[in-house]
Amino acid sequence: SASKGKDATVNLSCFLDLMGSVWKEVFSVQQRCVAMLPDILELIHAISAALWKKRSPGTASTDSPSVGGVSDSSWLEGLCADGIEGARSRSVVGAYALHVVAASLRCPEVVSDGGRTSMALEVFVWWLRDSLPRSLEAASGEMCEGVEEEVVAAALE
């Protein structure tokens, strides 16, 4: 337990459930979203930074401290996995991230702050870099039929 000095482990499924709850209970509720959008942007930035740092070639998780307070954990390992579950999970988180960026760039509190605007654009670049190759694969017919629909449906749950 955390009270005995041990950290609780959060697996990928629990992490995605948590992200879904933030989406449903905060982001999708206009008043809550407006009030918390800068904080949601910072959360998405920290998650994205940890993910893309860990997935970058030549970057070992032991080489440097955690990014934005996000340490190596089960959920991060799951998001970084090269398998179908990792790819689908990254697609869900990517959909959340791009929606947060779009909303953030329309938010006066974010766009009036250069640091937060830079944060939003950085998140956009990371996820665009990830999704562009998949889009090119889909255009050439290499991507499995129905995967995109599943990802969108999972993101909107």
Side-chain angles (χ1 to χ4, degrees):
S1 78
S3 63
K4 295 183 181 180
K6 296 180 183 177
D7 292 329
T9 301
V10 175
N11 64 23
L12 182 58
S13 177
C14 183
F15 172 77
L16 292 174
D17 287 346
L18 233 138
M19 292 296 295
S21 293
V22 168
W23 180 266
K24 181 180 175 186
E25 302 298 330
V26 179
F27 192 80
S28 296
V29 178
Q30 180 72 23
Q31 290 176 315
R32 292 179 190 158
C33 182
V34 169
M36 297 185 72
L37 190 56
D39 296 323
I40 295 171
L41 174 62
E42 289 181 19
L43 172 67
I44 286 293
H45 184 270
I47 291 167
S48 299
L51 172 64
W52 299 119
K53 181 175 183 172
K54 189 163 187 69
R55 284 191 55 85
S56 295
T59 304
S61 60
T62 57
D63 289 347
S64 58
S66 64
V67 176
V70 179
S71 63
D72 287 337
S73 60
S74 179
W75 67 265
L76 185 56
E77 293 294 329
L79 276 178
C80 291
D82 288 327
I84 291 172
E85 183 180 5
R88 284 185 178 164
S89 299
R90 280 190 305 279
S91 293
V92 169
V93 174
Y96 291 149
L98 292 174
H99 278 85
V100 168
V101 166
S104 295
L105 293 176
R106 292 187 311 259
C107 174
E109 187 177 344
V110 171
V111 295
S112 66
D113 180 333
R116 286 188 172 140
T117 301
S118 294
M119 213 181 271
L121 294 173
E122 194 170 34
V123 170
F124 179 74
V125 168
W126 288 328
W127 288 101
L128 181 64
R129 183 178 52 203
D130 177 63
S131 64
L132 199 55
R134 285 185 289 133
S135 296
L136 295 174
E137 286 175 4
S140 68
E142 295 174 14
M143 189 174 205
C144 297
E145 291 292 323
V147 171
E148 254 182 42
E149 292 83 15
E150 289 177 27
V151 168
V152 170
L156 297 176
E157 285 182 354

